[in-house]
Coordinates of all heavy atoms in Angstrom, one line a residue:
M1 N 112.7 140.7 96.4 CA 112.4 139.8 97.5 C 112.8 138.4 97.2 O 113.2 137.7 98.1 CB 110.9 139.9 97.9 CG 110.5 141.2 98.5 SD 111.4 141.7 100.0 CE 110.9 140.4 101.2
A2 N 112.6 137.9 96.0 CA 113.0 136.6 95.7 C 114.5 136.3 96.0 O 114.8 135.3 96.5 CB 112.6 136.2 94.3
T3 N 115.3 137.3 95.6 CA 116.7 137.1 95.8 C 117.0 137.1 97.3 O 117.8 136.2 97.8 CB 117.5 138.3 95.2 OG1 117.2 138.4 93.8 CG2 119.0 138.2 95.4
L4 N 116.4 137.9 98.1 CA 116.6 137.9 99.6 C 116.2 136.6 100.2 O 116.9 136.0 101.0 CB 115.9 139.1 100.2 CG 116.5 140.4 100.0 CD1 115.6 141.5 100.6 CD2 117.9 140.5 100.6
T5 N 115.0 136.1 99.8 CA 114.5 134.9 100.4 C 115.3 133.7 99.9 O 115.2 132.6 100.6 CB 113.0 134.7 100.1 OG1 112.8 134.7 98.8 CG2 112.2 135.8 100.8
A6 N 116.0 133.7 98.8 CA 116.8 132.6 98.4 C 118.2 132.6 99.0 O 118.9 131.6 99.0 CB 116.9 132.7 96.8
D7 N 118.6 133.7 99.6 CA 119.9 133.8 100.2 C 119.9 133.2 101.6 O 119.1 133.6 102.4 CB 120.3 135.3 100.3 CG 121.7 135.5 100.7 OD1 122.3 134.7 101.5 OD2 122.3 136.5 100.2
P8 N 120.7 132.2 101.8 CA 120.7 131.5 103.1 C 121.1 132.4 104.3 O 120.7 132.1 105.4 CB 121.8 130.4 103.0 CG 122.4 130.5 101.7 CD 121.7 131.6 100.9
R9 N 121.7 133.6 104.0 CA 122.0 134.5 105.1 C 120.7 135.1 105.7 O 120.7 135.6 106.8 CB 122.9 135.6 104.6 CG 124.3 135.2 104.3 CD 125.1 136.3 103.7 NE 124.5 136.9 102.5 CZ 124.8 138.0 102.0 NH1 125.6 138.8 102.5 NH2 124.1 138.4 100.9
Y10 N 119.7 135.1 104.9 CA 118.4 135.7 105.4 C 117.3 134.7 105.6 O 116.1 135.1 105.6 CB 118.0 136.8 104.3 CG 119.1 137.8 104.1 CD1 119.7 137.8 102.8 CD2 119.5 138.6 105.1 CE1 120.7 138.8 102.6 CE2 120.5 139.6 104.8 CZ 121.1 139.6 103.6 OH 122.1 140.5 103.3
T11 N 117.6 133.5 105.8 CA 116.6 132.5 106.0 C 116.9 131.9 107.4 O 118.0 131.8 107.9 CB 116.5 131.4 105.0 OG1 117.8 130.7 104.9 CG2 116.2 131.9 103.6
Y12 N 115.8 131.4 108.0 CA 115.9 130.7 109.3 C 115.1 129.4 109.3 O 114.1 129.3 108.6 CB 115.2 131.7 110.4 CG 116.0 132.9 110.5 CD1 115.7 134.0 109.7 CD2 117.0 133.1 111.5 CE1 116.4 135.2 109.8 CE2 117.7 134.3 111.6 CZ 117.4 135.3 110.8 OH 118.1 136.5 110.9
P13 N 115.6 128.4 110.0 CA 114.9 127.2 110.0 C 113.4 127.3 110.6 O 113.2 128.2 111.4 CB 115.7 126.3 111.0 CG 117.0 126.9 111.0 CD 116.8 128.4 110.8
S14 N 112.5 126.6 110.1 CA 111.1 126.6 110.6 C 111.0 125.7 111.8 O 110.3 124.7 111.8 CB 110.2 126.1 109.5 OG 108.9 126.3 109.9
T15 N 111.7 126.2 112.8 CA 111.7 125.5 114.1 C 111.6 126.6 115.2 O 111.8 127.7 115.0 CB 113.0 124.7 114.4 OG1 114.1 125.6 114.4 CG2 113.2 123.7 113.3
D16 N 111.3 126.1 116.4 CA 111.3 127.1 117.6 C 112.7 127.8 117.7 O 112.8 129.0 118.0 CB 110.9 126.4 118.9 CG 109.4 126.1 118.9 OD1 108.7 126.8 118.3 OD2 109.1 125.2 119.7
E17 N 113.8 127.0 117.5 CA 115.1 127.6 117.6 C 115.3 128.6 116.5 O 115.9 129.7 116.7 CB 116.2 126.5 117.5 CG 116.2 125.6 118.7 CD 115.1 124.5 118.6 OE1 114.5 124.3 117.6 OE2 114.8 123.9 119.7
G18 N 114.9 128.3 115.2 CA 115.0 129.2 114.1 C 114.2 130.5 114.4 O 114.7 131.6 114.1
R19 N 113.0 130.4 114.9 CA 112.2 131.5 115.2 C 112.8 132.4 116.3 O 112.8 133.6 116.2 CB 110.8 131.1 115.6 CG 110.0 130.6 114.4 CD 108.6 130.0 114.9 NE 107.8 129.6 113.7 CZ 107.9 128.3 113.2 NH1 108.8 127.5 113.8 NH2 107.2 128.0 112.2
A20 N 113.4 131.7 117.3 CA 114.1 132.5 118.4 C 115.3 133.2 117.9 O 115.5 134.4 118.2 CB 114.5 131.5 119.5
Q21 N 116.0 132.6 116.9 CA 117.1 133.3 116.3 C 116.7 134.5 115.5 O 117.3 135.6 115.5 CB 118.0 132.4 115.5 CG 119.2 133.0 115.0 CD 120.2 133.5 116.1 OE1 120.5 132.7 116.9 NE2 120.6 134.7 116.0
L22 N 115.6 134.3 114.7 CA 115.1 135.4 113.9 C 114.7 136.6 114.8 O 115.0 137.7 114.6 CB 113.8 134.9 113.1 CG 113.0 136.0 112.4 CD1 113.8 136.7 111.4 CD2 111.7 135.4 111.9
L23 N 114.0 136.3 115.9 CA 113.6 137.4 116.8 C 114.8 138.1 117.4 O 114.8 139.3 117.6 CB 112.6 136.8 117.9 CG 111.2 136.4 117.4 CD1 110.4 135.7 118.5 CD2 110.5 137.7 116.9
A24 N 115.8 137.3 117.8 CA 117.0 137.9 118.4 C 117.7 138.8 117.4 O 118.1 139.9 117.7 CB 117.9 136.8 118.9
D25 N 117.8 138.3 116.1 CA 118.4 139.2 115.1 C 117.6 140.5 114.8 O 118.2 141.5 114.7 CB 118.5 138.4 113.8 CG 119.6 137.3 113.9 OD1 120.3 137.2 114.9 OD2 119.6 136.4 113.0
I26 N 116.3 140.3 114.8 CA 115.5 141.5 114.6 C 115.6 142.5 115.8 O 115.8 143.7 115.6 CB 114.0 141.2 114.4 CG1 113.8 140.4 113.0 CG2 113.1 142.4 114.4 CD1 112.4 139.8 112.9
R27 N 115.6 142.0 117.0 CA 115.7 142.8 118.1 C 117.1 143.5 118.2 O 117.2 144.7 118.5 CB 115.5 142.0 119.4 CG 114.1 141.6 119.6 CD 113.9 140.6 120.8 NE 112.5 140.2 120.9 CZ 112.2 139.0 121.2 NH1 113.0 138.1 121.5 NH2 110.9 138.7 121.3
A28 N 118.1 142.8 117.7 CA 119.5 143.5 117.7 C 119.5 144.6 116.7 O 120.1 145.7 116.9 CB 120.5 142.4 117.3
R29 N 118.8 144.4 115.5 CA 118.8 145.4 114.5 C 118.0 146.6 115.0 O 118.4 147.8 114.7 CB 118.2 144.9 113.2 CG 119.2 143.9 112.5 CD 118.6 143.4 111.2 NE 119.5 142.5 110.6 CZ 119.4 141.2 110.5 NH1 118.3 140.6 111.0 NH2 120.3 140.4 109.9
V30 N 116.9 146.4 115.7 CA 116.1 147.5 116.2 C 116.9 148.3 117.2 O 116.9 149.5 117.2 CB 114.7 147.0 116.8 CG1 114.1 148.0 117.7 CG2 113.8 146.5 115.7
A31 N 117.6 147.6 118.1 CA 118.4 148.2 119.1 C 119.5 149.1 118.4 O 119.7 150.3 118.9 CB 119.1 147.2 120.0
R32 N 120.1 148.6 117.4 CA 121.1 149.4 116.7 C 120.5 150.7 116.0 O 121.0 151.8 116.1 CB 121.8 148.6 115.6 CG 122.8 149.3 114.8 CD 124.1 149.6 115.7 NE 125.1 150.3 114.8 CZ 125.8 151.3 115.2 NH1 125.7 151.8 116.4 NH2 126.6 151.8 114.4
V33 N 119.3 150.5 115.4 CA 118.6 151.6 114.8 C 118.3 152.7 115.8 O 118.5 153.9 115.6 CB 117.4 151.2 114.0 CG1 116.5 152.3 113.7 CG2 117.8 150.4 112.7
M34 N 117.8 152.2 117.0 CA 117.4 153.1 118.0 C 118.7 153.9 118.6 O 118.5 155.0 119.1 CB 116.6 152.4 119.1 CG 115.3 152.0 118.7 SD 114.3 153.2 117.8 CE 113.9 154.3 119.0
E35 N 119.8 153.2 118.6 CA 121.1 153.9 119.0 C 121.4 155.1 118.1 O 121.8 156.1 118.5 CB 122.2 153.0 119.0 CG 122.3 152.0 120.1 CD 123.5 151.1 119.9 OE1 124.4 151.4 119.2 OE2 123.5 150.0 120.6
L36 N 121.2 154.9 116.8 CA 121.5 155.8 115.8 C 120.4 156.9 115.5 O 120.6 157.9 114.9 CB 121.9 155.1 114.5 CG 123.1 154.2 114.5 CD1 123.2 153.4 113.2 CD2 124.3 155.0 114.8
A37 N 119.2 156.6 115.9 CA 118.0 157.4 115.6 C 118.2 158.9 116.0 O 117.7 159.7 115.2 CB 116.7 156.8 116.2
P38 N 118.8 159.2 117.1 CA 118.9 160.6 117.5 C 119.7 161.4 116.5 O 119.5 162.6 116.3 CB 119.6 160.6 118.8 CG 119.3 159.3 119.4 CD 119.2 158.3 118.2
R39 N 120.6 160.8 115.7 CA 121.3 161.5 114.7 C 120.5 161.8 113.5 O 120.8 162.7 112.7 CB 122.5 160.6 114.2 CG 123.5 160.3 115.2 CD 124.6 159.4 114.5 NE 125.4 158.8 115.5 CZ 126.4 157.9 115.3 NH1 126.6 157.6 114.0 NH2 127.1 157.4 116.2
W40 N 119.4 161.0 113.3 CA 118.6 161.2 112.1 C 117.3 162.0 112.3 O 116.8 162.5 111.4 CB 118.2 159.8 111.5 CG 119.3 158.9 111.2 CD1 120.6 159.2 110.8 CD2 119.4 157.5 111.4 NE1 121.4 158.1 110.6 CE2 120.6 157.0 111.0 CE3 118.4 156.5 111.8 CZ2 121.0 155.7 111.0 CZ3 118.8 155.2 111.8 CH2 120.1 154.8 111.4
F41 N 116.8 162.0 113.5 CA 115.5 162.6 113.8 C 115.6 163.6 115.0 O 116.4 163.3 115.9 CB 114.5 161.5 114.2 CG 114.3 160.5 113.1 CD1 114.9 159.2 113.2 CD2 113.6 160.7 112.0 CE1 114.8 158.2 112.3 CE2 113.4 159.8 111.0 CZ 114.0 158.5 111.1
G42 N 114.9 164.6 114.9 CA 114.9 165.6 116.0 C 114.1 165.2 117.2 O 114.4 165.5 118.3
A43 N 113.0 164.5 116.9 CA 112.1 164.0 118.0 C 112.0 162.5 117.9 O 111.8 162.0 116.8 CB 110.8 164.7 118.0
L44 N 112.0 161.8 119.0 CA 111.9 160.3 119.0 C 110.6 160.0 119.8 O 110.3 160.7 120.8 CB 113.1 159.7 119.6 CG 114.4 159.9 118.9 CD1 115.6 159.3 119.6 CD2 114.3 159.3 117.5
P45 N 110.0 158.8 119.5 CA 108.9 158.4 120.3 C 109.4 158.1 121.8 O 110.5 157.7 122.0 CB 108.5 157.1 119.7 CG 109.2 157.0 118.4 CD 110.3 157.9 118.4
R46 N 108.5 158.4 122.7 CA 108.8 158.0 124.1 C 108.7 156.6 124.4 O 109.4 156.0 125.2 CB 107.9 158.8 125.0 CG 108.2 160.3 125.1 CD 107.3 161.0 126.0 NE 106.1 161.4 125.3 CZ 105.0 161.9 125.8 NH1 104.9 162.0 127.1 NH2 104.0 162.2 125.0
A47 N 107.8 155.9 123.7 CA 107.5 154.5 123.9 C 108.6 153.6 123.3 O 109.2 153.9 122.3 CB 106.2 154.1 123.3
R48 N 109.0 152.5 124.0 CA 109.9 151.5 123.4 C 109.2 150.8 122.3 O 108.0 150.8 122.2 CB 110.3 150.5 124.5 CG 111.1 151.1 125.6 CD 111.5 150.0 126.7 NE 110.5 148.9 126.8 CZ 109.5 148.9 127.7 NH1 109.2 150.0 128.4 NH2 108.7 147.9 127.8
L49 N 110.0 150.1 121.5 CA 109.4 149.2 120.5 C 109.8 147.8 120.9 O 111.0 147.5 121.1 CB 110.0 149.5 119.1 CG 109.7 148.5 118.0 CD1 108.2 148.5 117.7 CD2 110.4 148.9 116.7
E50 N 108.8 147.0 121.0 CA 109.0 145.6 121.3 C 108.8 144.7 120.1 O 107.8 144.9 119.4 CB 108.1 145.1 122.5 CG 108.4 145.8 123.8 CD 107.5 145.3 124.9 OE1 106.5 144.6 124.6 OE2 107.8 145.7 126.0
V51 N 109.6 143.8 119.8 CA 109.4 142.8 118.8 C 109.1 141.5 119.4 O 109.8 141.0 120.3 CB 110.7 142.6 117.9 CG1 110.5 141.6 116.8 CG2 111.2 143.9 117.3
R52 N 107.9 141.0 119.1 CA 107.4 139.8 119.7 C 107.1 138.7 118.6 O 106.8 139.0 117.5 CB 106.1 140.1 120.4 CG 106.2 141.1 121.4 CD 104.8 141.4 122.0 NE 104.9 142.5 122.9 CZ 103.8 143.2 123.2 NH1 102.6 143.0 122.7 NH2 104.0 144.2 124.1
R53 N 107.0 137.5 119.1 CA 106.6 136.4 118.2 C 105.1 136.4 118.1 O 104.4 136.6 119.1 CB 107.1 135.1 118.7 CG 106.7 133.9 117.9 CD 107.3 132.6 118.4 NE 106.9 131.4 117.7 CZ 107.3 130.2 117.9 NH1 108.1 130.0 118.8 NH2 106.8 129.2 117.1
V54 N 104.6 136.2 116.9 CA 103.2 136.0 116.7 C 102.7 134.8 117.5 O 103.4 133.8 117.6 CB 102.8 135.8 115.2 CG1 101.4 135.4 115.0 CG2 103.1 137.0 114.4
P55 N 101.6 134.9 118.2 CA 101.1 133.8 119.0 C 101.1 132.5 118.1 O 100.7 132.6 116.9 CB 99.7 134.1 119.4 CG 99.7 135.6 119.4 CD 100.7 136.0 118.3
Q56 N 101.6 131.4 118.7 CA 101.7 130.2 117.9 C 100.4 129.8 117.2 O 100.4 129.3 116.0 CB 102.2 129.0 118.7 CG 103.7 129.2 119.0 CD 104.2 128.1 119.9 OE1 103.8 127.9 121.0 NE2 105.1 127.3 119.3
F57 N 99.2 130.0 117.8 CA 98.0 129.6 117.2 C 97.7 130.4 115.9 O 97.0 130.0 115.1 CB 96.8 129.7 118.2 CG 96.4 131.2 118.5 CD1 95.6 131.9 117.7 CD2 97.0 131.8 119.6 CE1 95.2 133.2 118.0 CE2 96.7 133.1 119.9 CZ 95.8 133.8 119.1
A58 N 98.3 131.6 115.8 CA 98.0 132.4 114.6 C 99.1 132.4 113.6 O 99.0 132.9 112.5 CB 97.9 133.9 115.1
E59 N 100.3 131.7 113.9 CA 101.4 131.7 113.0 C 101.1 131.2 111.6 O 101.5 131.8 110.6 CB 102.6 130.9 113.6 CG 103.7 131.8 114.1 CD 104.8 130.9 114.8 OE1 104.8 129.7 114.6 OE2 105.6 131.6 115.4
A60 N 100.5 130.1 111.5 CA 100.4 129.4 110.2 C 99.5 130.2 109.3 O 99.7 130.2 108.1 CB 99.8 128.0 110.4
G61 N 98.5 130.9 109.8 CA 97.6 131.7 108.9 C 98.0 133.1 108.7 O 97.3 133.9 108.0
S62 N 99.2 133.5 109.2 CA 99.6 134.9 109.1 C 100.5 135.1 107.9 O 101.3 134.3 107.6 CB 100.3 135.4 110.4 OG 99.5 135.2 111.5
S63 N 100.4 136.3 107.3 CA 101.3 136.5 106.1 C 102.0 137.9 106.2 O 102.7 138.2 105.3 CB 100.4 136.5 104.9 OG 99.5 137.5 104.9
A64 N 101.8 138.6 107.3 CA 102.4 139.9 107.4 C 102.6 140.3 108.9 O 101.9 139.7 109.7 CB 101.6 141.0 106.7
P65 N 103.5 141.1 109.2 CA 103.7 141.5 110.6 C 102.4 142.1 111.2 O 101.7 142.8 110.4 CB 104.8 142.5 110.6 CG 105.6 142.3 109.3 CD 104.5 141.8 108.3
I66 N 102.2 141.9 112.4 CA 101.1 142.5 113.1 C 101.6 143.7 113.8 O 102.5 143.7 114.7 CB 100.5 141.5 114.1 CG1 100.0 140.3 113.4 CG2 99.4 142.2 114.9 CD1 99.6 139.1 114.3
I67 N 101.1 144.9 113.4 CA 101.5 146.2 114.0 C 100.3 146.9 114.6 O 99.6 147.6 113.9 CB 102.3 147.0 113.0 CG1 103.4 146.3 112.3 CG2 102.8 148.3 113.7 CD1 104.0 146.9 111.2
P68 N 100.0 146.7 115.9 CA 98.9 147.4 116.5 C 99.1 148.9 116.5 O 100.2 149.4 116.4 CB 98.8 146.9 117.9 CG 99.9 145.9 118.1 CD 100.8 146.0 116.8
R69 N 98.0 149.6 116.6 CA 98.0 151.1 116.7 C 98.8 151.5 117.9 O 98.8 150.8 118.9 CB 96.6 151.7 116.8 CG 95.8 151.4 115.5 CD 94.5 152.2 115.6 NE 94.9 153.6 115.7 CZ 94.2 154.6 115.3 NH1 93.0 154.4 114.8 NH2 94.6 155.8 115.4
P70 N 99.5 152.7 117.8 CA 100.2 153.2 119.0 C 99.3 153.3 120.2 O 98.2 153.6 120.1 CB 100.8 154.5 118.5 CG 100.7 154.5 117.0 CD 99.6 153.6 116.7
R71 N 99.9 153.2 121.3 CA 99.2 153.3 122.6 C 99.4 154.7 123.1 O 100.3 155.4 122.8 CB 99.7 152.2 123.5 CG 99.4 150.9 122.9 CD 99.8 149.8 123.9 NE 99.5 148.5 123.2 CZ 100.1 147.4 123.5 NH1 101.0 147.4 124.5 NH2 99.8 146.3 122.9
S72 N 98.6 155.0 124.1 CA 98.5 156.3 124.7 C 99.8 157.1 125.0 O 100.3 157.0 126.0 CB 97.7 156.2 126.0 OG 98.3 155.3 126.9
M73 N 100.2 157.9 124.0 CA 101.3 158.8 124.2 C 102.5 158.3 124.8 O 103.1 158.9 125.7 CB 100.8 160.1 124.9 CG 99.7 160.8 124.2 SD 100.1 161.3 122.5 CE 101.2 162.6 122.9
G74 N 102.9 157.1 124.5 CA 104.2 156.5 125.0 C 104.1 155.9 126.4 O 105.1 155.5 127.0
A75 N 102.8 155.8 126.9 CA 102.7 155.2 128.2 C 103.1 153.7 128.3 O 103.6 153.2 129.3 CB 101.2 155.3 128.7
R76 N 102.8 153.0 127.2 CA 103.2 151.6 127.1 C 104.0 151.4 125.8 O 103.9 152.1 124.9 CB 101.9 150.7 127.0 CG 101.2 150.7 128.4 CD 100.0 149.9 128.3 NE 98.9 150.6 127.6 CZ 97.8 150.1 127.2 NH1 97.5 148.9 127.4 NH2 96.9 150.9 126.6
P77 N 104.8 150.3 125.8 CA 105.6 150.1 124.6 C 104.8 149.8 123.3 O 103.7 149.3 123.4 CB 106.4 148.8 124.9 CG 106.1 148.5 126.3 CD 105.0 149.3 126.8
A78 N 105.3 150.2 122.2 CA 104.7 149.9 120.9 C 105.2 148.4 120.6 O 106.2 148.0 121.2 CB 105.2 150.8 119.8
S79 N 104.5 147.7 119.8 CA 104.9 146.4 119.5 C 104.8 146.0 118.0 O 104.0 146.6 117.3 CB 104.1 145.4 120.4 OG 102.8 145.4 119.9
I80 N 105.5 145.1 117.6 CA 105.4 144.5 116.3 C 105.6 143.0 116.4 O 106.5 142.6 117.1 CB 106.4 145.1 115.3 CG1 106.2 144.5 113.9 CG2 107.8 144.9 115.7 CD1 107.0 145.2 112.8
S81 N 104.7 142.2 115.9 CA 104.8 140.8 116.0 C 105.3 140.3 114.7 O 104.8 140.5 113.6 CB 103.5 140.2 116.3 OG 103.0 140.6 117.6
S82 N 106.4 139.5 114.8 CA 107.1 139.1 113.6 C 106.5 137.8 113.1 O 106.2 136.9 113.9 CB 108.6 138.8 113.9 OG 109.2 138.2 112.8
I83 N 106.4 137.7 111.8 CA 105.9 136.5 111.1 C 107.0 135.7 110.7 O 107.7 135.9 109.7 CB 105.0 136.8 109.9 CG1 103.9 137.8 110.3 CG2 104.4 135.6 109.3 CD1 102.9 137.3 111.3
S84 N 107.4 134.7 111.5 CA 108.6 133.9 111.1 C 108.3 132.9 110.0 O 109.2 132.3 109.4 CB 109.2 133.2 112.3 OG 108.2 132.4 113.0
A85 N 107.0 132.6 109.8 CA 106.7 131.6 108.8 C 107.2 132.0 107.4 O 107.4 131.2 106.5 CB 105.2 131.3 108.8
T86 N 107.3 133.3 107.1 CA 107.8 133.7 105.8 C 109.3 133.6 105.6 O 109.8 133.9 104.6 CB 107.4 135.2 105.6 OG1 107.9 136.0 106.6 CG2 105.9 135.4 105.6
F87 N 110.0 133.2 106.7 CA 111.4 133.1 106.6 C 111.9 131.6 106.8 O 112.8 131.3 107.4 CB 112.1 134.0 107.7 CG 111.8 135.4 107.5 CD1 110.8 136.0 108.2 CD2 112.5 136.2 106.6 CE1 110.5 137.3 108.0 CE2 112.3 137.5 106.5 CZ 111.2 138.1 107.1
Q88 N 111.2 130.7 106.2 CA 111.5 129.3 106.3 C 112.5 128.8 105.3 O 112.6 129.4 104.2 CB 110.2 128.5 106.1 CG 109.2 128.7 107.2 CD 108.0 127.9 107.0 OE1 107.9 127.1 106.1 NE2 107.0 128.0 107.8
R89 N 113.2 127.8 105.6 CA 114.1 127.1 104.7 C 113.4 125.9 104.1 O 112.6 125.3 104.7 CB 115.3 126.6 105.4 CG 116.3 127.7 105.6 CD 117.6 127.1 106.1 NE 118.3 128.2 106.7 CZ 119.5 128.1 107.2 NH1 120.1 127.0 107.2 NH2 120.1 129.1 107.7

């Protein structure tokens, strides 16, 4: 992890713009994985996966992604809230 966090390709500025870019990059990666997922798995979740920014009031005190429990059988999207504070320059 130290090598990854030291590499400028994997760091983002600790600004609103940096956080927005981080979320855009994560969302693009999730989209690519979901395109390829049918090749790897026989059954896929019905619910979409949404990547969201952690609410600003909780950002400073958060140290890991927030991943709530899945919701009722795919009726609503699953979500993961990204902690951008761990990707600061």
Side-chain angles (χ1 to χ4, degrees):
M1 289 303 293
T3 301
L4 288 174
T5 57
D7 189 327
R9 293 177 298 166
Y10 305 113
T11 60
Y12 295 86
S14 184
T15 62
D16 284 336
E17 293 80 15
R19 288 174 178 87
Q21 185 61 53
L22 170 63
L23 289 172
D25 290 350
I26 292 170
R27 289 174 182 141
R29 288 182 181 107
V30 167
R32 180 69 176 139
V33 166
M34 293 311 293
E35 284 177 18
L36 298 172
R39 297 181 196 174
W40 304 327
F41 303 101
L44 298 174
R46 288 181 273 171
R48 296 182 326 273
L49 172 63
E50 294 180 350
V51 178
R52 302 177 186 156
R53 182 176 174 176
V54 169
Q56 287 182 296
F57 70 87
E59 252 178 14
S62 299
S63 61
I66 299 169
I67 307 171
R69 294 191 60 155
R71 299 183 181 155
S72 60
M73 300 302 288
R76 291 182 280 170
S79 66
I80 181 170
S81 296
S82 174
I83 306 300
S84 57
T86 58
F87 297 96
Q88 294 179 5
R89 282 189 198 183

